């Protein structure tokens, strides 16, 4: 899919992406997008409720039907999380029992120990649920999930192993202990679990993982590898590779998004400046990349061979926008510029180039994301995590603007 936008807009945004004035959101932008998200997710909910099952929408299959996942899928927390955010953003109490139901349906994720993604799954669902309801049972699930995730900590390397390698496509790569940059997104749950339980072991694991990732995953220009494979015996690095990017040395956009977001969280939770510095460096690399896009929605991989005719990845853009809103609230030079950049991303994502028409796109909000091109899977499709981070970004923008108005 080649994104087409008008020349005037292109010129304006091109200027902005080179460091000048950004494309600001118009008055009413937030209300309109939140209202749309509520309506579109409402249509997803209608389909689920009519089915009589607790379905969990993820993406569109090649035949155009919606793919629904089970609790063990790494994406199982995003739909419940979106419903929590929309309940919070709209105050629509009809969403509360639904958010609870969809969250409860994946509670078995707390006992899952065969992959690392439980931080995404339980953080987005139970994490938001606990933040909004203080339900004691949700707190127990968060702590139990942290215990499950901690079973994957590998002492010699000081990291959490991402994938098992005994079966599936991961068994064909010759890896011992693969760690993907995505794993940075699981650390927030560990920090939360220490806060809720008082057990500092989760915090120490998170910091160890972040420190080793900081040391091994990044190239001098701030971009990151997707996969680092460690020796289980002595913790040394065996391979630096990719699984979902174009090439081992290329810049896979969602991986950069996970790094920017994940290290921003680490700074928030620890106050250690080196994490924020890395987030800023990785963002700076994306911002200045020779293949940066005029509308700020990156190609799925910034070094993919057929740019400009490569698919974009709206999920990466949404995740970066959400992280930038948080960065704009931190002690950084020129903090408003990060909000302005995030605003510009949201303006693109909220435009007809990326935001679906009501009732289309399988009732997902955003079009044009990429799951994994090397696996020939989910190319130029809606993804529930693109929607989740888009809604989260709207929430963060709303909070920032309300706080500024109250001053
Ligand atoms: N965490 C898997 C992905 O980003 O596709």
């Amino acid at each position: 899919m080649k994104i087409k936008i008008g020349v005037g807009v292109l010129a304006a945004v091109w200027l902005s992406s080179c460091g000048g004035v950004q494309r600001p959101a118009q008055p009413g932008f937030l209300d309109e997008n939140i209202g749309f998200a509520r309506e579109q997710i409402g249509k997803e909910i209608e389909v689920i409720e009519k089915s009589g099952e607790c379905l969990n929408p993820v993406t569109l299959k090649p035949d155009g039907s919606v793919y629904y996942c089970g609790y063990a899928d790494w994406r199982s927390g995003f739909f419940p999380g979106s419903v929590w955010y929309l309940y919070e953003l709209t105050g629509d109490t009809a969403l509360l029992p639904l958010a609870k139901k969809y969250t409860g349906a994946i509670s078995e994720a707390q006992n899952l120990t065969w992959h690392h993604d439980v931080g995404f799954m339980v953080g987005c669902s139970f994490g938001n649920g606990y933040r909004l309801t203080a339900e004691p049972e949700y707190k127990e699930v968060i702590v139990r999930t942290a215990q499950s995730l901690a079973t994957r900590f590998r002492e010699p390397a000081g990291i959490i192993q991402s994938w098992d390698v005994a079966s599936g496509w991961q068994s064909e790569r010759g890896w011992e202990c693969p760690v993907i940059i995505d794993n940075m997104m699981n650390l927030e749950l560990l920090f939360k679990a220490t806060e809720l339980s008082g057990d500092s072991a989760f915090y120490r694991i998170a910091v160890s993982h972040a420190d080793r990732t900081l040391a091994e995953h990044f190239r001098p220009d701030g971009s990151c590898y997707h996969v680092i494979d460690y020796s289980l015996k002595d913790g040394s690095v065996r391979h630096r590779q990719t699984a979902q990017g174009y090439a081992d040395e290329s810049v896979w956009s969602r991986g950069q998004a996970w790094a920017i977001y994940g290290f921003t969280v680490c700074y928030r939770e620890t106050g250690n400046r080196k994490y924020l510095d890395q987030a800023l460096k990785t963002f700076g690399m994306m911002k200045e990349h020779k293949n940066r896009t005029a509308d700020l929605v990156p190609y799925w991989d910034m070094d993919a061979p057929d740019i400009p005719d490569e698919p974009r990845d709206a999920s990466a853009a949404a995740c970066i926008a959400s992280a930038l809103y948080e960065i704009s609230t931190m002690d950084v030079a020129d903090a408003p510029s990060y909000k302005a950049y995030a605003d510009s991303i949201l303006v693109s994502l909220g435009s007809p180039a990326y935001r679906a028409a009501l009732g289309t796109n399988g009732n997902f909000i955003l079009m044009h994301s990429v799951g994994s091109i090397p696996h020939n899977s989910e190319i130029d499709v809606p993804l529930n995590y693109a929607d989740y981070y888009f809604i989260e970004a709207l929430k963060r923008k709303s909070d920032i603007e309300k706080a500024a108005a109250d001053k």
Side-chain angles (χ1 to χ4, degrees):
M1 191 267 333
K2 194 171 179 180
I3 300 293
K4 291 189 172 64
I5 54 178
V7 172
V9 173
L10 256 175
V13 184
W14 176 253
L15 280 173
S16 76
S17 69
C18 294
V21 179
Q22 306 263 338
R23 189 156 55 129
Q26 296 302 307
F29 174 88
L30 261 179
D31 286 347
E32 198 276 329
N33 275 280
I34 292 167
F36 175 82
R38 171 66 185 92
E39 278 195 88
Q40 186 77 330
I41 296 282
K43 289 191 175 292
E44 270 184 338
I45 289 171
E46 267 174 43
V47 173
I48 295 166
E49 294 306 303
K50 269 193 199 138
S51 78
E53 292 176 63
C54 205
L55 301 171
N56 194 329
V58 175
T59 185
L60 285 180
K61 295 192 271 193
D63 68 5
S65 62
V66 175
Y67 173 73
Y68 298 101
C69 73
Y71 81 87
D73 189 298
W74 78 275
R75 302 158 297 184
S76 67
F78 294 118
F79 177 68
S82 293
V83 179
W84 281 115
Y85 270 134
L86 287 171
Y87 162 62
E88 184 178 17
L89 277 165
T90 62
D92 182 346
T93 52
L95 292 175
L96 180 59
L98 295 164
K100 286 184 178 175
K101 182 168 80 170
Y102 304 146
T103 294
I106 66 161
S107 73
E108 193 46 34
Q110 67 186 298
N111 298 314
L112 195 156
T113 57
W114 57 268
H115 66 67
H116 67 146
D117 284 317
V118 289
F120 276 111
M121 296 150 74
V122 168
C124 299
S125 54
F126 287 89
N128 277 311
Y130 186 70
R131 185 173 61 77
L132 292 170
T133 66
E135 170 68 48
E137 193 195 321
Y138 290 179
K139 173 173 154 176
E140 283 168 28
V141 171
I142 292 165
V143 175
R144 172 74 192 143
T145 307
Q147 287 163 350
S148 296
L149 185 55
T151 66
R152 302 187 65 78
F153 187 63
R154 307 289 178 245
E155 197 58 74
I159 50 78
I160 300 162
Q161 181 168 350
S162 293
W163 294 322
D164 286 354
V165 293
S167 61
W169 63 267
Q170 288 96 338
S171 65
E172 292 159 16
R173 299 290 299 260
W175 294 326
E176 264 182 30
C177 176
V179 176
I180 59 175
I181 190 66
D182 323 31
N183 207 337
M184 288 301 301
M185 300 294 284
N186 292 310
L187 304 186
E188 187 167 11
L189 180 111
L190 295 175
F191 288 122
K192 194 73 197 163
T194 285
E195 186 191 313
L196 295 177
S197 68
D199 183 348
S200 61
F202 305 125
Y203 183 100
R204 280 186 273 115
I205 288 173
V207 167
S208 173
H209 185 95
D211 285 349
R212 191 77 203 268
T213 301
L214 197 59
E216 308 294 358
H217 252 92
F218 290 92
R219 308 182 184 105
D221 68 355
S223 65
C224 64
Y225 290 93
H226 182 202
V227 186
I228 306 292
D229 178 38
Y230 294 94
S231 161
L232 282 172
K233 212 163 90 197
D234 63 15
S236 60
V237 171
R238 299 178 71 241
H239 304 106
R240 287 187 166 86
Q241 293 178 321
T242 196
Q244 287 170 246
Y246 165 63
D248 290 343
E249 294 298 331
S250 71
V251 174
W252 176 51
S253 292
R254 197 161 54 254
Q256 314 311 306
W258 297 146
I260 294 164
Y261 192 116
F263 278 101
T264 301
V265 168
C266 286
Y267 174 61
R268 181 219 301 152
E269 297 296 334
T270 66
N272 194 328
R273 190 81 195 182
K274 68 183 177 184
Y275 300 136
L276 180 60
D277 289 344
Q278 184 60 62
L280 295 176
K281 189 169 177 187
T282 302
F283 169 63
M285 175 279 306
M286 286 295 275
K287 186 168 174 265
E288 302 303 331
H289 196 282
K290 67 180 191 313
N291 290 328
R292 64 189 180 273
T293 59
D295 65 6
L296 310 186
V297 178
Y299 296 105
W300 71 279
D301 188 305
M302 299 302 280
D303 299 312
D306 293 327
I307 287 172
D309 294 325
E310 293 280 354
R312 304 295 186 88
D313 184 10
S315 76
C319 181
I320 291 172
S322 187
L324 292 179
Y325 282 123
E326 176 155 27
I327 289 172
S328 78
T329 68
M330 293 171 159
D331 172 27
V332 283
D334 202 11
S337 70
Y338 296 98
K339 178 176 182 296
Y341 198 99
D343 282 348
S344 298
I345 294 175
L346 288 197
V347 167
S348 290
L349 294 180
S351 77
Y354 294 95
R355 202 184 83 179
L358 189 65
T360 67
N361 199 39
N363 300 323
F364 294 95
I365 299 168
L366 297 180
M367 307 179 282
H368 307 316
S369 290
V370 166
S372 181
I373 286 188
H375 296 93
N376 196 24
S377 172
E378 298 167 358
I379 301 169
D380 194 16
V381 291
L383 290 168
N384 65 357
Y385 44 103
D387 287 3
Y388 175 86
Y389 289 107
F390 179 66
I391 297 169
E392 183 181 80
L394 292 171
K395 161 82 172 71
R396 290 179 170 185
K397 175 175 167 62
S398 168
D399 288 350
I400 291 166
E401 293 177 2
K402 274 189 193 135
D406 289 347
K407 265 191 191 158

